[in-house]
Amino acid sequence: MSRYRFLLTPTWLGWLAVCVGFAVACVFLGQWQLDRREHAMEDINRVVANYDEDPVPYAEVRELYRSPEADDEWTVTTLRGEYLSDDVRLVRNRGHSGSVGYEQVVPFRTHDGDVVVISRGWLPTDSTDASRPAYMPEPPRGEAEVTARLKPGEPDIDRDAPDGQLASIDLDEYETQLGYDLVTGAYGLMAGEDPAPDQQPRQLARPELDEGPHLSYSMQWYAFGLLGFVGWGYAARLTARNRDLDVIAEEEDGKERAAGTASSGVSRQERLREARRRRRERAGRASDEDVEDAWVDERLGSR
């Protein structure tokens, strides 16, 4: 192992430290991608578990709307009561099928006396004035039955909105604007209503069951961390081989000087090339070019 003793020099130890630091960073990035995949899988599992289940009466899940847990998202609920249509709001900058528009939210007073916010769906923007929706459908008047999926309330995004609009479905802010009590833990994303009016907002798309590329990205980061050591080892091998060739070249020069046959004007690069050729011959790995060079040398020497 004496030929690799140079690895203990500060320069090579420094590069090894760089490889270790890079590998540690890659491990953290790979773990971060695995954590993101785990969160994505949790979201997918909630959709699979709750999205298509039979609806349950609001009275049975009343507390879920007040203090929802993560696993309660998408719980299908039936609410009976009436819309408070005068207090409708539009939530700005809501995406749907690659477009940006509004989400219409309306308070709904249930037979239990609770006022639950219902998102009735998505509205496109007006083609000539993007500050308003293309149309504004009215919720049904009087007694209504709504089937909705539970969604946790959204946080305050610290952004102002015009009158009659909200920056996000921040239920506390909505309650402050209305001046009466709302259920502020969660709201309902409408899946259907009876009676159904002639004109309704567009229903938001079903969540995609796609975990994303996080697993492959994590494997790539782990591979990058390993490649740093591979590169360091390969560079060490090349350096050791070149050092061996320097020794061989110096030995050949010494033999030629001792025999009085040292050639003048031969560059170090040419001596190294000749040393590499002789080394390949000794190892039985001579190339076609090496054979041709040996033949030429033999012919010239015989003249």
Side-chain angles (χ1 to χ4, degrees):
M1 296 299 293
S2 60
R3 65 195 295 256
Y4 287 101
R5 192 170 297 167
F6 64 89
L7 295 179
L8 299 178
T9 61
T11 299
W12 281 93
L13 290 176
W15 280 113
L16 179 60
V18 171
C19 291
V20 171
F22 178 69
V24 170
C26 288
V27 168
F28 278 109
L29 289 169
Q31 187 59 49
W32 171 62
Q33 287 292 343
L34 289 178
D35 291 341
R36 294 188 63 187
R37 177 179 181 268
E38 183 177 350
H39 291 314
M41 292 301 299
E42 290 174 354
D43 292 339
I44 291 173
N45 290 337
R46 281 194 289 271
V47 174
V48 171
N50 298 332
Y51 197 88
D52 294 319
E53 291 298 300
D54 294 333
V56 296
Y58 171 76
E60 296 182 13
V61 293
R62 186 177 183 184
E63 292 305 315
L64 301 188
Y65 276 81
R66 297 182 180 276
S67 300
E69 300 289 340
D71 291 339
D72 300 327
E73 187 175 11
W74 305 114
T75 298
V76 188
T77 311
T78 300
L79 305 94
R80 291 182 174 84
E82 62 178 344
Y83 283 108
L84 306 181
S85 304
D86 294 338
D87 294 326
V88 63
R89 293 289 188 276
L90 295 174
V91 188
R92 298 167 55 82
N93 300 321
R94 310 298 281 196
H96 176 66
S97 300
S99 300
V100 177
Y102 296 90
E103 198 167 343
Q104 186 189 61
V105 292
V106 191
F108 186 86
R109 189 184 302 279
T110 69
H111 289 169
D112 303 275
D114 295 340
V115 180
V116 178
V117 173
I118 300 296
S119 169
R120 298 188 66 234
W122 184 84
L123 300 171
T125 58
D126 186 90
S127 59
T128 57
D129 185 359
S131 65
R132 64 183 182 183
Y135 58 94
M136 190 69 169
E138 288 285 335
R141 296 285 181 175
E143 184 76 12
E145 179 179 288
V146 176
T147 301
R149 294 183 172 92
L150 182 148
K151 289 282 292 178
E154 298 176 359
D156 178 16
I157 61 174
D158 194 24
R159 187 179 301 167
D160 293 332
D163 291 341
Q165 297 184 11
L166 295 169
S168 68
I169 307 182
D170 178 6
L171 301 176
D172 292 322
E173 170 62 21
Y174 199 0
E175 182 180 56
T176 300
Q177 289 187 15
L178 296 179
Y180 54 80
D181 291 339
L182 295 177
V183 176
T184 57
Y187 66 96
L189 182 62
M190 189 185 76
E193 56 188 3
D194 184 26
D198 295 334
Q199 190 179 54
Q200 289 182 319
R202 300 178 189 176
Q203 295 303 298
L204 297 177
R206 179 192 181 96
E208 294 186 2
L209 304 181
D210 182 10
E211 67 181 69
H214 305 302
L215 181 60
S216 61
Y217 285 170
S218 67
M219 296 300 103
Q220 289 176 17
W221 280 119
Y222 293 141
F224 290 157
L226 181 61
L227 284 176
F229 292 105
V230 173
W232 184 84
Y234 182 69
R237 181 176 180 275
L238 289 180
T239 301
R241 187 179 66 177
N242 289 335
R243 288 163 66 93
D244 291 344
L245 291 174
D246 286 341
V247 171
I248 294 173
E250 290 175 1
E251 291 176 350
E252 296 294 335
D253 286 347
K255 292 177 181 179
E256 290 177 357
R257 283 194 296 269
T261 59
S263 57
S264 60
V266 180
S267 66
R268 179 178 181 276
Q269 183 177 3
E270 291 173 341
R271 293 199 304 272
L272 288 176
R273 186 182 301 113
E274 177 63 17
R276 292 191 184 98
R277 184 179 69 81
R278 292 177 181 177
R279 187 179 185 187
R280 288 194 295 270
E281 287 179 352
R282 293 171 185 172
R285 298 196 304 268
S287 64
D288 293 341
E289 184 180 356
D290 294 336
V291 174
E292 291 176 1
D293 290 343
W295 182 82
V296 171
D297 292 342
E298 182 181 354
R299 297 286 293 179
L300 292 176
S302 64
R303 290 181 180 180

